[in-house]
Amino acid sequence: LKGKITVSMGGELYHFQDETGDIVVEIEHDEWHGVNATSDTIIVISGEIDREWASVKVDVDRISIAQ
């Protein structure tokens, strides 16, 4: 997915927005690998869809600054 983190929800949860909409993503602290992103930074994330009973989020495995 290619887009922006718009809001930090606390802990490891963030709102992520791309051209199709927004979704909650979970980025564990060790997955950042030194990437510094603001709400203006276009990033690329990949991971797994985590469907729970009442919600859907992306559990991020990889994050990088978009080229």
Side-chain angles (χ1 to χ4, degrees):
L1 302 171
K2 183 177 178 180
K4 299 178 181 180
I5 292 176
T6 57
V7 176
S8 172
M9 300 170 60
E12 299 175 338
L13 297 178
Y14 304 87
H15 274 274
F16 178 85
Q17 183 176 8
D18 67 6
E19 60 189 31
T20 64
D22 65 328
I23 191 166
V24 173
V25 297
E26 180 178 9
I27 307 173
E28 295 183 13
H29 299 293
D30 62 343
E31 297 297 341
W32 284 98
H33 300 289
V35 172
N36 291 314
T38 68
S39 60
D40 294 324
T41 308
I42 304 288
I43 59 173
V44 177
I45 60 173
S46 61
E48 300 176 11
I49 301 294
D50 185 4
R51 294 179 191 264
E52 296 181 5
W53 193 77
S55 66
V56 176
K57 68 181 177 185
V58 177
D59 186 5
V60 175
D61 295 326
R62 192 176 309 157
I63 181 171
S64 62
I65 303 291
Q67 300 296 323

